[in-house]
Amino acid sequence: MKGRVALITGASRGIGAATAELFKKAGARVLTPSRSELDLSDNSSIERYISSVEDSIDILVNNAGINFLAGLEELDQEVLGQTLQVNLVAPLILTQLVAKKMKANRYGRVVNISSIWSVVAKERRLAYAASKSAMNGVTRTLAIELGEHGILVNAIAPGYVNTELTSQNNSPEQIQLISNSIPLHRLAEPAEIAEMAVFLCSEKNSYMTGQVLVVDGGYVCR
Ligand SMILES: NC(=O)c1ccc[n+]([C@@H]2O[C@H](COP(=O)([O-])OP(=O)(O)OC[C@H]3O[C@@H](n4cnc5c(N)ncnc54)[C@H](OP(=O)(O)O)[C@@H]3O)[C@@H](O)[C@H]2O)c1
């Protein structure tokens, strides 16, 4: 990744922070804007941030995401709208903006961090599942639109990862039960998801595009 510029959203903690660390080790110059610099709930903030970046962005990791638990009867329109904005609309707008220079350079790598809840279901993940399932569709569509420009677009669908998001949405007792139900008998560490992002965003990945890679310790095989 030497000489490449990578933008990673949501890198203040969790999977994003681990990805930023590994990308730096791989030689990339990594842009990790804080929420005050790049607020994904606000499209004008996205446009302002991208126009403030002078360098061409070669690599985009759409990692930031939110997951407010709500079933059908609890779901209000604000939660639905906010989830779709941060998890789906913002990554799409970011890709639209950075793809211009990627096309001119005839090189680009985009990785969208999806979720196993785009592949299998769990109650009270309605808005989240809608956003991540749509993200998979966006990944495939962009792969075919951008392929001729040398831009590869893939998604990673993590299972349960040891981050604040997981401890916010699951009690310690639930996490224990979940760990027991995963064939590898543990949650993923953020770095294990980041390793996959490093491969997909590096020049070693020269032929994989449009894929959703499930990284879940075997959870969805059950
Ligand atoms: N953890 C899991 O088990 C798991 C499983 C499957 C998929 N994922 C996906 O992986 C990604 C990262 O998850 P994580 O567990 O590492 O999350 P996390 O620990 O909750 O961190 C979320 C990150 O997103 C940022 N963010 C949230 N809303 C934002 C906004 N409006 N504008 C800009 N940044 C915003 C946060 O920034 P602040 O510091 O400003 O809050 C933070 O850096 C998400 O897309 C998530 O859906 C996670």
Side-chain angles (χ1 to χ4, degrees):
M1 286 188 181
K2 239 188 170 89
R4 300 288 183 197
V5 177
L7 169 60
I8 303 171
T9 66
S12 65
R13 57 178 185 268
I15 296 169
T19 303
E21 197 182 315
L22 287 193
F23 277 33
K24 279 180 202 156
K25 274 193 192 150
R29 195 155 76 71
V30 182
L31 308 176
T32 55
S34 66
R35 195 191 291 225
S36 59
E37 295 166 293
L38 172 61
D39 181 357
L40 300 174
S41 63
D42 174 4
N43 291 340
S44 61
S45 167
I46 300 174
E47 283 169 18
R48 262 198 317 278
Y49 177 75
I50 294 298
S51 55
S52 76
V53 176
E54 282 171 11
D55 301 298
S56 298
I57 292 167
D58 305 298
I59 297 165
L60 169 64
V61 181
N62 283 308
N63 164 75
I66 52 175
N67 181 7
F68 296 116
L69 301 190
L72 188 59
E73 290 185 5
E74 308 160 278
L75 187 67
D76 67 48
Q77 290 183 17
E78 202 177 314
V79 165
L80 180 60
Q82 180 74 349
T83 306
L84 293 174
Q85 168 63 34
V86 173
N87 292 6
L88 175 67
V89 175
L92 188 49
I93 292 178
L94 269 175
T95 311
Q96 191 178 42
L97 295 172
V98 303
K100 289 176 187 166
K101 285 187 186 166
M102 287 178 176
K103 279 184 186 174
N105 295 338
R106 299 205 52 76
Y107 183 89
R109 297 284 184 273
V110 179
V111 164
N112 295 320
I113 306 298
S114 181
S115 164
I116 46 164
W117 307 132
S118 70
V119 181
V120 292
K122 185 167 182 179
E123 63 283 347
R124 303 186 75 221
R125 269 81 180 163
L126 267 178
Y128 188 71
S131 69
K132 297 295 189 180
S133 304
M135 187 180 234
N136 295 357
V138 161
T139 301
R140 289 186 281 268
T141 310
L142 290 178
I144 62 166
E145 286 195 13
L146 297 174
E148 65 178 301
H149 302 284
I151 304 169
L152 310 188
V153 187
N154 291 287
I156 299 172
Y160 287 93
V161 187
N162 183 16
T163 73
E164 281 180 33
L165 189 61
T166 299
S167 46
Q168 182 190 299
N169 286 341
N170 304 279
S171 66
E173 296 72 31
Q174 285 172 321
I175 290 177
Q176 192 52 54
L177 285 172
I178 290 162
S179 297
N180 294 342
S181 72
I182 297 170
L184 296 188
H185 285 284
R186 62 177 178 83
L187 271 51
E189 289 305 319
E192 295 179 288
I193 309 303
E195 286 287 359
M196 188 61 71
V198 171
F199 169 72
L200 290 172
C201 292
S202 72
E203 286 173 34
K204 282 190 180 170
N205 176 28
S206 53
Y207 205 62
M208 185 185 286
T209 193
Q211 301 307 304
V212 178
L213 302 177
V214 176
V215 183
D216 69 343
Y219 182 81
V220 304
C221 299
R222 288 243 184 231

